[in-house]
Amino acid sequence: MAQKEKDICETLFMAIFIHQILEHTDVSSRIPGPTVGIVGGGQLGRMLAEAAAPLGVDVIVLDPTPDCPAAPVSRKQIVGEFDEKRAFDQLSSLADIVTFEIELADTALLTHVEQTHDVTVHPAPATLALIEDKLEQKRSLEAAGIAVPSFREVDTVAELQQALAEFGSVMLKARTGGYDGRGNVPVTDPDDASTALESIAGPAMAEEFIEFERELSVIAIQGADSVRTLPVGENIHQAEILRETVVPARTDETIQERAKEIAREVLAELDGRGVFGIELFETTSGEILVNEIAPRPHNSGHWSIEGAVTSQFEQHIRAIVGWPLGETSLLCPTVMCNLLATVEETCSARLQDVETLLEQPYCAPHWYGKDEARPLRKMGHVTLTASGRDISRNELLAQARDVREAVSFEDPTSA
Amino acid sequence: MAQKEKDICETLFMAIFIHQILEHTDVSSRIPGPTVGIVGGGQLGRMLAEAAAPLGVDVIVLDPTPDCPAAPVSRKQIVGEFDEKRAFDQLSSLADIVTFEIELADTALLTHVEQTHDVTVHPAPATLALIEDKLEQKRSLEAAGIAVPSFREVDTVAELQQALAEFGSVMLKARTGGYDGRGNVPVTDPDDASTALESIAGPAMAEEFIEFERELSVIAIQGADSVRTLPVGENIHQAEILRETVVPARTDETIQERAKEIAREVLAELDGRGVFGIELFETTSGEILVNEIAPRPHNSGHWSIEGAVTSQFEQHIRAIVGWPLGETSLLCPTVMCNLLATVEETCSARLQDVETLLEQPYCAPHWYGKDEARPLRKMGHVTLTASGRDISRNELLAQARDVREAVSFEDPTSA
């Protein structure tokens, strides 16, 4: 190699080296707080970063999609897969604490982060491992004496048909990887068993189909030395996707208190600090059953950004850092409404008629910074608050739906 | 040059080229909104970026300090001086709209941004030019029939002594560049005139020293087609630095209404959209005089993040983008308290006892991400809200001060 080439190479390597040193120095010297590494940089990562900033906490996200939703509001994005060791190593070298906002985070690599890098992961990787397998999740809740819908492991058509015979209708669920309705198939007719199992294409379980009065959810926070719960929300789903959350839930106070108690019982079974979203069924007979647990901030807790003294995202940051948890009081009746992409095919997102939304008073918009619209993809949400006005939850819900109807995502010039 | 060297160079240039193209593509394709370029990346830029994210607006900041407070929550920082053409050109090439959060922004370069790059600047550069010269600001207000303290241009000791003879005591002010007490000198004794003028070291003006009952401030927003005002705050200064803001101001409703009217009269004299912070004196005789105008979000409006339906930062983004302005209602009585660095000398900031602050319910922390503590530097603020509780503004103020006293910035190990 000629001397000149060597010089160029040397300069390049030196620049890279200095860049790396500077990068590491920067992220660890902020006040008051540590740098949090988040596996996953979708809207949950974005809203965690938004909540971390006022707390003086820097955020670094790991996500496979370049320029993911959280990237523009985070200190740095590491582009890497959720099971890519190199990316986890890099994240651990830059962060003081690691958390995750997606169940796809590889639990073995999260354990590696704790063991090799001496960086604490919250919640505990073992908790994620337990929760990400819906069958193990249910078994563990049942073993703890927590009421859940009846369920069976089903690996064959015969087993599924037996479950149908026992429960009438069932919800067939992929044991791992399902979300927003993907991986959930309602089955009633034994003749559909084979097709349903094929559509799951992996380990499955069947749950008795619950006739519920309403779906509730509790955002529960496990802090360093205390557990808190946010006011109980009422979830409205369509086609297995959350559409709206109404807070407080339109049900008896006693039911709400019982739901919070159950959430505390669930947290007692789980290791590691952080926010957990706990979805419940209030059955027609007044029972409360645990449907599913998310070991992270949850869509049904987005209302808390405007509706609670402390949002679920701030609570998560406080909890994983080990700081005192925030006040949980409800500020006022609140409705959260998801804005799903109203497109028939994947396309470049071009938002239309955003003015209608912005003109609505007491309506807080939250966009997730997604460039691509896909059918029913969560593009953002709005929160409508009563804020001292004499307005019912039903009216807030109607207003939220009107706002949602006014917005579209298709670029009219792209046809 | 050898072929190998040429290859290396070519690859490098290609990488830089692709990087630039990608960068530009990214920032302009988000939904719903445009990319905002902010001249200045201090705490105001940081809180603007925090407010922009939920609106789906990306932020790029220009600031001379590498890794400035706004950097970790913005898409990109351009490191450049506030009068550096190259930096303004780069900002304009990446942003759809440009604004500023610091009066030091060079007005000639802001005009250049509009004329050469066809990127709108809000508020108008001419408005900044008018406001940044305190003498011109006062002359223009007086010409518009808006009540201000009596004032004189003073260039010589004789002129200052004449002003003293006329007004009794005066506040001697640097015409440009002063903030947080720098550039403001109270003078009573004619023998001090020479020293006082020397300490200003530049063009100066003298204002009659006002005996005020209290200081008020109004955050006023000039939108695309409407003007709105936030509830009136009461400012408490010490040594010319804002310490606390109490909202609503502890004064008559009629005074508050009059303060808002005056704010609207002020805005009618100023071109360009955005948030303006208008500081007023309520005199002992019940008059209201305009003290100073800031053509940007203002420290005395920080309370609005928790205390108003829409914060001053969100209002600024809405205004400059041309979107409908947000609802301005007060949510509850609110006190904002600045956290100034309690250090005797400049040092690396190490925050102590942050737990006390975080344990206080209804107390929202805001850290500005500053690594270096300097005497009386603004490191963050806290906001205490009544949030439906039966608690007086005086009690909130006392709690805020207790929280402030509990926090320190000195690293005990650095001595």
Side-chain angles (χ1 to χ4, degrees), chain B residues 77-382:
Chain B
Q77 176 184 356
I78 295 164
V79 178
E81 299 295 328
F82 295 135
D83 58 357
E84 195 178 339
K85 182 168 173 295
R86 173 203 60 78
F88 279 70
D89 285 335
Q90 198 185 345
L91 187 68
S92 311
S93 73
L94 296 171
D96 302 304
I97 298 157
V98 164
T99 188
F100 46 88
E101 57 98 87
I102 188 161
E103 278 91 333
L104 295 173
D106 189 286
T107 51
L109 281 177
L110 290 173
T111 306
H112 159 81
V113 163
E114 291 206 308
Q115 290 176 350
T116 312
H117 293 280
D118 200 24
V119 169
T120 312
V121 178
H122 285 294
T127 298
L128 174 59
L130 178 71
I131 288 177
E132 70 177 351
D133 183 336
K134 289 181 183 177
L135 181 64
E136 290 304 325
Q137 187 191 127
K138 282 276 155 53
R139 280 179 176 155
S140 131
L141 291 171
E142 192 174 52
I146 294 167
V148 294
S150 300
F151 62 92
R152 292 285 175 279
E153 180 174 8
V154 292
D155 290 324
T156 64
V157 173
E159 282 170 346
L160 177 51
Q161 287 171 338
Q162 194 183 335
L164 283 167
E166 200 174 343
F167 302 141
S169 294
V170 306
M171 182 65 84
L172 184 69
K173 293 181 172 182
R175 281 175 60 178
T176 58
Y179 69 101
D180 280 354
R182 275 170 272 192
N184 276 15
V185 186
V187 190
T188 304
D189 188 337
D191 291 345
D192 296 339
S194 173
T195 319
L197 261 181
E198 272 166 32
S199 77
I200 295 290
M205 66 181 289
E207 270 184 23
E208 84 179 296
F209 201 89
I210 299 294
E211 294 289 332
F212 56 80
E213 190 64 33
R214 56 184 70 78
E215 293 180 272
L216 305 177
S217 84
V218 179
I219 302 298
I221 315 116
Q222 176 72 61
D225 46 21
S226 68
V227 170
R228 295 194 182 182
T229 52
L230 296 192
V232 180
E234 173 185 346
N235 289 343
I236 301 166
H237 284 87
Q238 261 175 52
E240 303 282 314
I241 301 179
L242 181 67
R243 305 301 165 115
E244 299 110 1
T245 302
V246 179
V247 190
R250 292 167 296 179
T251 186
D252 296 347
E253 288 254 349
T254 51
I255 295 277
Q256 295 181 46
E257 285 312 308
R258 182 76 195 112
K260 289 189 197 177
E261 274 167 40
I262 292 171
R264 285 173 175 269
E265 289 167 17
V266 170
L267 253 56
E269 299 303 312
L270 301 171
D271 276 341
R273 306 194 299 250
V275 158
F276 293 80
I278 298 162
E279 293 184 281
L280 308 147
F281 293 124
E282 178 190 343
T283 70
T284 45
S285 59
E287 262 189 308
I288 301 179
L289 308 175
V290 173
N291 177 22
E292 280 185 15
I293 306 168
R296 51 166 174 80
H298 191 258
N299 193 170
S300 66
H302 292 357
W303 65 270
S304 60
I305 298 175
E306 285 80 18
V309 174
T310 315
S311 79
Q312 65 167 346
F313 300 102
E314 177 172 343
Q315 294 282 22
H316 189 69
I317 299 289
R318 283 176 178 246
I320 65 175
V321 172
W323 281 335
L325 300 182
E327 170 63 32
T328 58
S329 298
L330 185 73
L331 289 172
C332 60
T334 300
V335 167
M336 187 287 307
C337 178
N338 277 333
L339 301 174
L340 307 180
T342 49
V343 297
E344 310 218 333
E345 285 176 16
T346 296
C347 65
S348 170
R350 286 286 171 277
L351 190 64
Q352 307 298 322
D353 307 311
V354 70
E355 276 77 9
T356 312
L357 185 160
L358 292 164
E359 268 162 15
Q360 177 78 32
Y362 303 93
C363 170
H366 293 267
W367 297 107
Y368 303 155
K370 296 179 182 175
D371 299 336
E372 194 175 77
R374 299 178 206 139
L376 297 181
R377 189 180 197 199
K378 291 174 181 170
M379 305 299 285
H381 75 266
V382 287

Side-chain angles (χ1 to χ4, degrees), chain A residues 30 46 53-54 67 75 367 369, chain B residues 30 32 46 53-54 67 75 367 369:
Chain A
R30 303 243 139 208
R46 182 177 173 106
D67 197 26
R75 170 168 284 278
W367 297 108
Chain B
R30 303 242 140 209
R46 183 177 172 105
D67 197 27
R75 168 169 285 280
W367 297 107

Side-chain angles (χ1 to χ4, degrees), chain A residues 134 171-172 178-186 200 237-242:
Chain A
K134 290 181 182 176
M171 182 64 83
L172 184 70
Y179 71 99
D180 281 353
R182 275 171 272 192
N184 276 16
V185 187
I200 295 288
H237 285 86
Q238 260 177 54
E240 304 281 315
I241 301 179
L242 181 67

